Amino acid sequence: MADQGLNIQKDTHAQQCLIAQISDPHIKADGKLSYRQVDTASALRQAISTLNQLAPRPDLVLISGDLVDFGHPSEYATFKQILAELTLPVYLIPGNHDNREYLRAAFTEHRYLFQHRDYLQWVVDDYPVRIVGLDSSVPGKPYGELSDESLQWLDTTLAEQPEKPTLVMVHHHPFVSGIDHMDRQPLKRPDALADVIGKHAQVERVLCGHLHRSIQARFANTLAISCPGVSHQVSLDLTPNGPSSFQLEPPGYLLHQWSAANGMVTHQGFIKRYPGPFPFFDANGLID
């Protein structure tokens, strides 16, 4: 009976997966501040400390691009040094601030980054949820784009395991956010991505970064969701032709909780600590 119970526990665990996502660290080297305001290195350390202390522990962490600020080797060295404090498996994709060559050179032990010759696109099958990373970076440009080759690769990759729940991660947002200056640098040709995603019902989420806010939109019969930044947030300004600006609002992360029984549920957490938790009721079940 004890062995049977152990097997049941193992089977139950195999049908669950907890995935943390952070985004847009924008790490600079030598203690420099981003935009002369933001200590992105300290912000990333705080984010990692938060993730390390989560209970239950996530099975893995995804970082959805803009790992560093200018794509310099010294920035990747700083990013890697800070990331070494993370006690969880981590998977990376590039954003428009990244450099493919220098990112690969800094993380040669991350073999998934070498699955494709030209792009940092990959698939990881080691968990109950399949993870697909895409490379939307266009050197020297703020917007993103997926080549026809990348879209064909995605279609083929998704077709390999149609029954396994899957997350697709891409840095640039494939939807209109309503924040004007960010919508001038989105993922180009989002309909081409939607055509591929729409063919594969197992895609639970399209995860992105870039927007530095938690924003959700219906996309290709699934949900596209952007992750808040780990340091600064893009200002929530929905006026036409609004200015390009950011705010030092509380940074955050996403937790994507999947189970065979309940499917995928996404939560947003904050990196900054707040008072609590407090019970709604006292020991007698009463409140004043």
Side-chain angles (χ1 to χ4, degrees), residues 90-93 104 107-116 119-124:
V90 61
Y91 299 90
L92 316 170
I93 61 168
R104 270 181 172 159
F107 288 92
T108 55
E109 70 278 15
H110 286 230
R111 298 312 304 170
Y112 62 91
L113 292 174
F114 296 82
Q115 290 183 14
H116 193 278
Y119 302 108
L120 303 188
Q121 59 192 33
W122 44 263
V123 59
V124 171

Side-chain angles (χ1 to χ4, degrees), residues 19-23 60-65 67 90-94 112-113 120-122 124 130-136 146 153-154 158 166-172 174 187 193 197 203 205-209 225 227 256:
I19 301 158
Q21 180 189 358
I22 59 174
S23 197
L60 66 150
V61 176
L62 304 175
I63 307 184
S64 45
L67 311 175
V90 61
Y91 299 90
L92 316 170
I93 61 168
Y112 62 91
L113 292 174
L120 303 188
Q121 59 192 33
W122 44 263
V124 171
R130 201 170 191 227
I131 313 294
V132 179
L134 296 176
D135 181 352
S136 61
L146 297 171
W153 175 88
L154 175 63
L158 292 176
T166 301
L167 295 178
V168 174
M169 181 169 59
V170 60
H171 177 69
H172 294 84
L187 181 74
L193 176 60
I197 297 294
V203 177
R205 299 281 189 277
V206 176
L207 307 180
C208 61
I225 181 168
C227 187
H256 309 286

Side-chain angles (χ1 to χ4, degrees), residues 79-111:
F79 173 66
K80 186 173 185 178
Q81 181 182 35
I82 298 171
L83 197 62
E85 300 171 15
L86 183 64
T87 59
L88 300 160
V90 61
Y91 299 90
L92 316 170
I93 61 168
N96 49 290
H97 284 253
D98 288 302
N99 178 288
R100 293 183 184 123
E101 178 185 357
Y102 294 146
L103 173 54
R104 270 181 172 159
F107 288 92
T108 55
E109 70 278 15
H110 286 230
R111 298 312 304 170

Side-chain angles (χ1 to χ4, degrees), residues 154-229:
L154 175 63
D155 192 22
T156 301
T157 299
L158 292 176
E160 291 171 351
Q161 295 201 46
E163 303 301 323
K164 188 171 184 179
T166 301
L167 295 178
V168 174
M169 181 169 59
V170 60
H171 177 69
H172 294 84
H173 57 294
F175 55 86
V176 177
S177 71
I179 301 175
D180 187 76
H181 68 97
M182 296 304 297
D183 288 337
R184 293 195 295 268
Q185 47 181 302
L187 181 74
K188 301 289 187 181
R189 302 196 303 155
D191 291 347
L193 176 60
D195 287 343
V196 175
I197 297 294
K199 294 163 56 179
H200 302 280
Q202 79 273 24
V203 177
E204 295 279 353
R205 299 281 189 277
V206 176
L207 307 180
C208 61
H210 196 51
L211 287 168
H212 289 241
R213 301 200 71 85
S214 178
I215 303 174
Q216 304 82 38
R218 192 179 185 88
F219 180 77
N221 298 320
T222 187
L223 182 65
I225 181 168
S226 66
C227 187

Side-chain angles (χ1 to χ4, degrees), residues 179-182 184 234-235 237-246:
I179 301 175
D180 187 76
H181 68 97
M182 296 304 297
R184 293 195 295 268
V234 167
S235 298
D237 186 342
L238 302 180
T239 59
N241 301 311
S244 175
S245 61
F246 68 91

